[in-house]
Each structure stands twice: as structure tokens, then as C-alpha cells.
Amino acid sequence: MKAMRMLKVLPLLVLFSSCQAHKDFFTSIGHMTDLLYTEKDLLTSLKEYIKAEELKLEQIKKWAEKFNSISETATKDPEGFLGHPVNAFKLMKRLNTEWLELENLVLKDMSDGFISNLTIQRQYFPSDEDQTGAARALIRLQDTYNLDTETISKGNLPGVHHKSTLTAEDCYELGKIAYTEADYYHTELWMEQALRQLDAGEESSIDKVLVLDYLSYAVYQQGDLEKALMLTKRLLELDPEHQRGNGNLKYFEYIRAKEENTSSSSDSEAVVSKTKKGRPKGHLPERQKYEKLCRGEGIKMTPRRQKKLFCRYYDGNRSPILILSPTKQEDEWDKPHIVRYHDIISDAEIEKVKALARPRLRRATVHDPVTGQLTTAQYRVSKR
């Protein structure tokens, strides 16, 4: 049941994940479905381009084999070869005509169709803001269901059928996005995951030095000076000439020496306030209740109350439409009374409604309970 609850709420998290992106790609599953078909169309075009290039290369190989055979024969006895008037004529013809044809073939650009299709489709591509919005959604998913980075990276999400894993580079990008928003808590989580995967031997375009650079600073910003020192020293073991690493090491050691020599100081630069690590606080107070509901940790119904819930056929108080074909009705909750109806419309009708609704989709909005201001349905991370 818990897995099913997660499966039901995943689309909502995607719905709430949109940042202020002009194309609103991540406001609905419908928009992202369109992107999947766009990518499929581009892949088909790419395969056609590859076939065209392979055919072109085969033709060039045939030209090369033909010229190579003639050249080997001719260069063994040039005077005797050219003594035959036909060979002399064909040499003139090859150099004047056939090599020109080969030049045109080599210069022929087979990518025109693919590049043209890519240019047309690019206008529908997501932007950097859309990519950031998707990253924020993944981080909110992590918080809502109390998932660790290892679980997400390996794709072991409950209720998800199509498993997909994250590379070390993916984890690094998630940590970097959190870093740009001064969300050092999630920066530490995702940079550590990237580092674990690199330590395990995963090949990646990013290196440990880059990850350690972000990680050590994120840890320091949360008040863990000893860990920041340890990570900085590891960074310098890999790259002793790292300028920022050397500067940070001296600064961290300076602060630690100050802390050891004095218990209190008015010099704000010399003392690091001990901050407790945890999630950023800049969200609505209702968020914790919402997350508990998503995890199935809401109010539990007592067995006595559950016994009063029934399933029945409902005819709408003898409605002529429902007398011969009553609807299936199931009690979900007693106070307030919540009812679930089953088998109301067919799958084909559902798809038709979705197709009609998709062009009208807009980002969901909510009223701030404090200010009353209309805002997009998203959670913003406040800077520390």
C-alpha cells in the first residue's frame, strides 16, 4: 500500500516542480510526454543520417579500391603503361573528371536532413531553467519520502516500474544546483554520493578534485569545520597545487586555532557559529503535514471506524440513467465523508479527456496563507 501511495503522488510532485521557466515543461506529465516523442523523432532522423554517411563511405571505398588497383599496375612500368593510348586517355579522364566527382562526393554534406530537423525541434527543447526545475523536483521527492541519495541514484524508488540510475556526473549536477541556491545541506548529500561512485571506480567526465572542492565548502558552511579540513586535505593530496584548496586549508586551520585559544570572541570572522545540519527552512508550514500524508503517515483510522466503511452499488436515488447500470461506490473516509467511484469511464474515454485537456494545461497556483498573494505551486528554497 505504501508503494501504491507513492505511485499515486509522483505525478503531483512533478506538477509542483516547475520553476519560473517560460515553457513550463515540468508542469505536467503531458508536456514531458511530448518531449519523449520529440526525442524519438530526432533519433529516427539521426539513424537515417548514419545510414547515409555509411553509404557515402562505402562509395568512397569503392573509388579508392578502383584507383589503387590502377595505380599499382601503372607505377610498376610507367612508360610501358602509358605506351598504350587507351591508358593515356583514361589517365587524363580520371584526373580531369573522376577525381572531381570523388571530390564532390567527399564534400557532400549528408547531415542536412538531420540538422534541419534538429533546428526545427530545438525550439521545443527545455531550457536551463527547465532542467533546474526537474532537479529541484527530484530533491523535493528525496525530502518528501525521506529517501537517501544511494536509493535514488540506484533507481530503487518504490512504486516505480522503469528503473533508471544516476551517474556520478548526474549526482554532481544535482549538488551543484543546490549549491547555487545556497542549499548546502543537499549540496553535501549529492556531492558525497558523487564521490562515493567515483571512489567505487565509476568512469566519469568529472574528477574527485572538483567534487571535493564543492563538498568541503558546503560542509564548512554548515559548521562542520573538522570534516571540512579533512576533505580539503584529501583534495590537496590529489592536487597539491590547487589554489583555492590551499587557501581554504590555511583559513580553516586559522579558525580552528582561534577556537582552541578562546572560548568566545567578538571577531565574527574568526568564529564559526555551530549550525545544525538539516534541510533548508524556507517552506510553508503545511509542507510537513503534506509530506507525512504522501508517506502514508497521516491520521490513522481506528478499526471501529473502518468497520463502518462499505462498498455498494449506487443508482443516484433511482436516477433513470443509473437504475440499469448503477455505479460502484466505495467509502474511503468517514469524517469528512469521502467516496471513491469505480469504472465510471473507459480507458479510451480517459485518453480522450487527457488529449482534450493537454493543450489547456497551466501551472497550478496557490494562495500564500500569510500574505494572500497568488503564487505558483512550488516550494522555494531560502538562502541561509
Side-chain angles (χ1 to χ4, degrees):
M1 287 299 293
K2 186 174 183 180
M4 289 303 296
R5 291 191 188 101
M6 171 169 280
L7 183 60
K8 291 176 183 177
V9 81
L10 283 177
L12 291 178
L13 289 173
V14 175
L15 177 65
F16 293 157
S17 68
S18 61
C19 61
Q20 295 292 342
H22 61 286
K23 296 176 184 175
D24 298 347
F25 274 115
F26 298 99
T27 57
S28 73
I29 292 294
H31 286 156
M32 288 189 286
T33 300
D34 293 338
L35 290 181
L36 285 178
Y37 286 107
T38 296
E39 186 175 48
K40 182 180 179 180
D41 179 57
L42 286 175
L43 181 58
T44 301
S45 180
L46 178 61
K47 289 179 179 179
E48 292 174 353
Y49 162 65
I50 293 172
K51 289 181 180 179
E53 287 286 4
E54 289 175 343
L55 178 60
K56 171 184 171 181
L57 189 58
E58 286 298 322
Q59 293 175 330
I60 294 173
K61 286 181 179 179
K62 290 180 180 179
W63 279 94
E65 291 171 359
K66 173 185 174 182
F67 292 151
N68 183 65
S69 177
I70 296 172
S71 179
E72 286 184 352
T73 302
T75 53
K76 289 178 181 178
D77 182 13
E79 293 183 0
F81 182 82
L82 294 174
H84 196 300
V86 173
N87 288 337
F89 164 73
K90 294 186 72 173
L91 175 61
M92 297 299 105
K93 179 176 178 292
R94 284 197 304 275
L95 293 174
N96 183 55
T97 305
E98 295 182 9
W99 276 97
L100 181 60
E101 292 178 5
L102 178 58
E103 179 185 6
N104 292 333
L105 176 60
V106 172
L107 293 175
K108 185 177 181 181
D109 191 354
M110 311 303 293
S111 65
D112 288 346
F114 171 68
I115 295 299
S116 176
N117 189 22
L118 182 61
T119 301
I120 293 172
Q121 298 290 1
R122 186 177 288 116
Q123 61 182 313
Y124 305 112
F125 282 10
S127 65
D128 291 341
E129 291 177 292
D130 296 312
Q131 181 177 336
T132 300
R136 289 171 180 164
L138 189 55
I139 291 175
R140 280 193 292 273
L141 180 72
Q142 174 187 7
D143 290 343
T144 300
Y145 293 103
N146 290 331
L147 300 173
D148 59 76
T149 54
E150 186 79 16
T151 298
I152 299 176
S153 181
K154 291 183 177 180
N156 297 324
L157 298 178
V160 176
H161 302 294
H162 303 284
K163 185 176 179 178
S164 183
T165 60
L166 294 174
T167 64
E169 185 177 357
D170 294 330
C171 297
Y172 165 78
E173 289 297 333
L174 287 167
K176 188 176 179 181
I177 288 172
Y179 177 86
T180 58
E181 298 182 349
D183 179 3
Y184 300 115
Y185 169 73
H186 289 106
T187 301
E188 179 183 357
L189 292 179
W190 284 106
M191 289 299 176
E192 281 187 334
Q193 180 61 33
L195 188 61
R196 278 195 295 270
Q197 293 181 205
L198 291 174
D199 287 341
E202 179 181 322
E203 295 184 2
S204 178
S205 59
I206 61 170
D207 57 21
K208 296 179 183 179
V209 172
L210 184 60
V211 174
L212 285 166
D213 192 13
Y214 279 97
L215 180 56
S216 59
Y217 185 75
V219 169
Y220 163 71
Q221 285 292 331
Q222 296 180 89
D224 194 343
L225 183 59
E226 292 302 320
K227 185 175 180 180
L229 268 169
M230 181 270 292
L231 292 169
T232 304
K233 289 178 181 178
R234 182 180 176 187
L235 183 156
L236 293 174
E237 289 176 0
L238 299 173
D239 184 4
E241 303 300 323
H242 196 277
Q243 184 176 359
R244 185 165 47 251
N246 281 293
N248 287 344
L249 180 63
K250 293 178 181 178
Y251 181 66
F252 294 159
E253 289 178 340
Y254 165 75
I255 293 178
R256 184 172 65 174
K258 283 288 186 179
E259 288 182 338
E260 291 175 350
N261 294 334
T262 179
S263 59
S264 63
S265 174
S266 60
D267 188 354
S268 60
E269 294 183 358
V271 178
V272 178
S273 60
K274 299 295 182 180
T275 57
K276 184 179 180 180
K277 291 184 179 181
R279 291 168 49 184
K281 301 298 183 182
H283 55 71
L284 298 176
E286 290 81 5
R287 179 171 179 176
Q288 291 183 347
K289 296 180 181 179
Y290 156 75
E291 291 178 349
K292 286 183 178 180
L293 287 173
C294 291
R295 294 192 296 266
E297 299 174 1
I299 301 174
K300 302 296 182 182
M301 187 176 292
T302 62
R304 182 176 181 180
R305 290 170 63 186
Q306 284 181 332
K307 290 180 180 179
K308 298 180 180 179
L309 304 181
F310 297 96
C311 296
R312 67 187 69 82
Y313 283 102
Y314 180 67
D315 61 7
N317 295 324
R318 306 291 294 175
S319 169
I321 299 176
L322 299 177
I323 287 178
L324 296 179
S325 181
T327 61
K328 299 176 182 178
Q329 193 180 76
E330 177 186 1
D331 292 331
E332 290 280 353
W333 202 261
D334 54 355
K335 294 179 182 180
H337 190 204
I338 301 174
V339 177
R340 180 192 296 270
Y341 290 89
H342 296 271
D343 303 329
I344 298 297
I345 59 178
S346 66
D347 291 343
E349 290 171 326
I350 291 173
E351 292 301 320
K352 182 64 175 179
V353 172
K354 287 164 62 177
L356 293 172
R358 186 173 300 161
R360 304 181 183 184
L361 288 174
R362 295 291 184 273
R363 181 188 286 119
T365 56
V366 295
H367 282 278
D368 189 298
V370 178
T371 65
Q373 183 180 1
L374 188 65
T375 61
T376 55
Q378 60 180 317
Y379 297 116
R380 291 183 172 83
V381 180
S382 64
K383 292 188 178 296
R384 292 180 182 272

